[in-house]
Structures are given as structure tokens and as C-alpha cells.
Amino acid sequence: MTDSAFFCVLSHEGVLAVRGPDANKFLQGQLTCNLNYLDANQSSLGARCTPKGRMQSSFRIVPQPDGYLLAMDKVLVQPQLADLSKFAVFSKSKLTDESEAWVRFGLVEGDGALVSLGLELPQSDGQVVSGHGLVAIRLGALRTELWAPAAEAETLRARLASQLAEAPLERWLLAQIRAGIGQVVAATRELFIPQMINLQAVGGVSFKKGCYTGQEIVARMQYLGKLKRRMYRLCANASEAPTAGTELYSPVHSSSVGEVVLAAQADDDTVELLAVVQQDAVEDGRLHLGTPDGALLELLELPYTLDADKEIQR
């Protein structure tokens, strides 16, 4: 074992299943990602928006032989299930909450453990491999997800623990923050448009797929708009990670200038976070966490660049 290699249970998320012969057609008109780019070997990030382009949820969508599985914030599964069901009345699609049917593990530097389970996962981001009742998904260079039927939870956990250290969920969230992957949770539902959390930069928005709910607003922002708020990676001296939705402040404005998207403890006295912040406040450099005189935030680099020309090619 090494200090950097670990696994944890992804207990913070649930699974929404959409199955049936019309699942593709139905979801294509609901989601920001292009399902025509997906197959049994390829997953994607994505979001579902209101007609005004505000994200109701964000997720990892994984194709299945008879439909799709969407992993999202656990609290959002039931509201999204209820809302989507209204639009699926005339569709040959069945929507269910499969959160209890699956156990999901996050692995960092865990390829050796996957091989021991009979899974050889390609290196390309979003790649999926299935076998022996398991599903493995590549999330960038170091992170992978491993899904299994819930009945296999304890057996699989023991097999992983024989090769990897088991860590608390916060270490996984810290790795996600360092990868620059934002996420909508209950506290930030309908607060951001996709570009505010850089979703278009990590393959979660398609500008060639045609109509979906909120598409007009999202496309207009990409082609014509000037985005004044977007997601940055930051750190601060603090002994407790702030919750999603915690406000950021700057003397540039008399009111808050942003909100925390995701945060995690990096060590005893440092937190790292992703936050959507007004650009002029970032440029000023005096950002404070929680209150106008809260902990001073330091800007960190994201592992990708924003390139509008490249983003619209998806």
C-alpha cells in the first residue's frame, strides 16, 4: 500500500435509473450531454437544467444494455425522479431509484486492484469496462469508480481492503476538487448554469446535440454571453470544511460574490474548495470565506483550461 492509493465508499451519491426502449430518446431531450456519443464503453458527465438554464442536478451517466444509470447527489435522486416522471408519461421508459441496488466505491491509484478483479480499464477519461457483475469507470488519470450489486458489498470491500487502504469519503472529495469537477447538491440546486461550474470544459455539455430543456440559455451564454461568474479552485486556513452554498465575500462588492460548490479538508488547518465566484472579485484577490472578514482564500490552479472554440465542437 502507498499513502496516495486508497478506496472509499461513495455514500454521498445515489443512482437514478432510466430504462426502456425510449430511454435514449427521452433523456436526449432532457440532459446537457449528448447520449449519441455514449456506448457500452463510454460514460459522461452531464446535467439537467430548468428552462432558464439553471442546473437541477449534475451526474455521471453510465449506459446499460436497457437504458442508463445516473449517479448524483443522494438527496436529489427522489426530486429528479418525481420531476422526470412527469415528462416520461408518454415514453416507453421506466424511472426508478436504484440507490439501494448498487454499492459504489471510489478508487485512487487502484488499477492493480481492478486487474485482480478481472477488469482492465482503458486510460481514456469516461471509459467503462464491465465484467464479473462489476462496472469500472475511468475518471481521469488517477481516479476510478467501481460499481457492483449491493449484495456484493462486503465481499468486494474486503477484496479491495486487501490491496488498498480504506479512507474516509473526504479524501475522495479532495481528489475531485483537485480534478476540478464541480457537482450540484441539494444546497446549490438551481443556483448555477452549466458553464458556471465549468461543465462544458470537462465534456458535460454538447453544443451540437440540438434541443433539450434549458438549451437556449446555455447555448446563448456560450456563443454570445459574457460569463461574469465561473468556478475556481481555492484554499484557506480553516479547521473545518465549509458546506456547499457557503457564500464568499470581497470588498469589491457589498454583498456576497460567490458560493462554495464543493469543499474538503486537506490537512488539519487547510481546506480546499471549488467555488463559483465573480470574476472581478477574483481579479482583486481579496476573497473571504463565509463572512466579509472570514478566512482569506488563495487561488489555486485547475488541471484544465477553458477554451470556448474547443468546447463548442462537442
Side-chain angles (χ1 to χ4, degrees):
M1 296 181 184
T2 67
D3 291 339
S4 57
F6 68 87
F7 81 97
C8 66
V9 181
L10 303 182
S11 56
H12 63 310
E13 293 180 335
V15 178
L16 173 61
V18 182
R19 302 182 185 272
D22 289 344
N24 179 286
K25 180 180 179 181
F26 170 65
L27 287 176
Q28 188 76 325
Q30 294 286 333
L31 311 181
T32 60
C33 52
N34 194 336
L35 302 191
N36 293 334
Y37 295 163
L38 308 185
D39 56 30
N41 301 312
Q42 183 66 45
S43 68
S44 177
L45 294 171
R48 179 168 179 260
C49 299
T50 69
K52 294 184 178 180
R54 300 280 168 168
M55 291 184 293
Q56 299 184 57
S57 62
S58 65
F59 45 78
R60 167 75 56 178
I61 183 166
V62 181
Q64 293 282 281
D66 61 346
Y68 300 90
L69 300 174
L70 288 75
M72 65 180 68
D73 179 55
K74 183 180 291 185
V75 180
L76 295 179
V77 173
Q78 280 297 325
Q80 288 293 272
L81 174 61
D83 196 41
L84 277 167
S85 294
K86 298 174 185 176
F87 299 95
V89 173
F90 302 107
S91 169
K92 293 179 181 178
S93 302
K94 183 178 180 181
L95 284 70
T96 55
D97 181 351
E98 291 194 10
S99 302
E100 299 303 317
W102 295 90
V103 59
R104 298 172 57 245
F105 296 98
L107 283 64
V108 170
E109 296 187 22
D111 279 18
L114 293 179
V115 171
S116 73
L117 295 169
L119 300 172
E120 295 196 25
L121 185 60
Q123 292 296 318
S124 300
D125 190 23
Q127 284 282 286
V128 179
V129 65
S130 301
H132 313 287
L134 307 174
V135 179
I137 307 160
R138 177 75 65 189
L139 309 185
L142 301 178
R143 300 185 306 133
T144 59
E145 288 185 10
L146 180 62
W147 297 30
E152 304 295 323
E154 291 309 313
T155 299
L156 187 54
R157 191 172 192 165
R159 293 187 67 178
L160 291 173
S162 69
Q163 300 182 66
L164 298 167
E166 184 167 3
L169 176 63
E170 191 153 37
R171 279 191 68 187
W172 174 262
L173 297 179
L174 180 61
Q176 180 176 335
I177 289 166
R178 290 174 175 174
I181 307 298
Q183 184 171 11
V184 176
V185 299
T188 54
R189 184 183 182 188
E190 298 187 15
L191 191 58
F192 308 127
I193 66 169
Q195 288 98 326
M196 288 182 183
I197 68 164
N198 303 342
L199 190 64
Q200 82 291 351
V202 291
V205 182
S206 172
F207 296 97
K208 291 187 172 183
K209 65 171 288 185
C211 294
Y212 59 86
T213 303
Q215 179 264 342
E216 183 178 355
I217 302 298
V218 176
R220 185 184 302 161
M221 179 59 68
Q222 190 74 10
Y223 290 106
L224 303 175
K226 292 184 178 180
L227 193 65
K228 296 180 180 180
R229 295 161 54 89
R230 72 168 180 86
M231 192 175 73
Y232 296 85
R233 179 175 161 235
L234 306 131
C235 70
N237 291 328
S239 58
E240 185 176 347
T243 59
T246 297
E247 295 182 324
L248 276 59
Y249 291 85
S250 166
V252 171
H253 295 274
S254 58
S255 58
S256 68
V257 295
E259 300 84 20
V260 171
V261 175
L262 185 66
Q265 204 73 33
D267 55 42
D268 290 343
D269 58 3
T270 306
V271 297
E272 293 188 22
L273 56 99
L274 299 173
V276 171
V277 193
Q278 290 185 207
Q279 185 174 343
D280 57 356
V282 173
E283 292 170 350
D284 176 79
R286 295 172 293 170
L287 288 172
H288 295 269
L289 179 62
T291 64
D293 58 352
L296 187 65
L297 288 155
E298 177 186 348
L299 190 65
L300 302 175
E301 290 187 1
L302 287 167
Y304 51 78
T305 58
L306 300 179
D307 184 339
D309 290 336
K310 183 178 178 180
E311 291 158 7
I312 62 175
Q313 298 307 311
R314 284 191 58 81

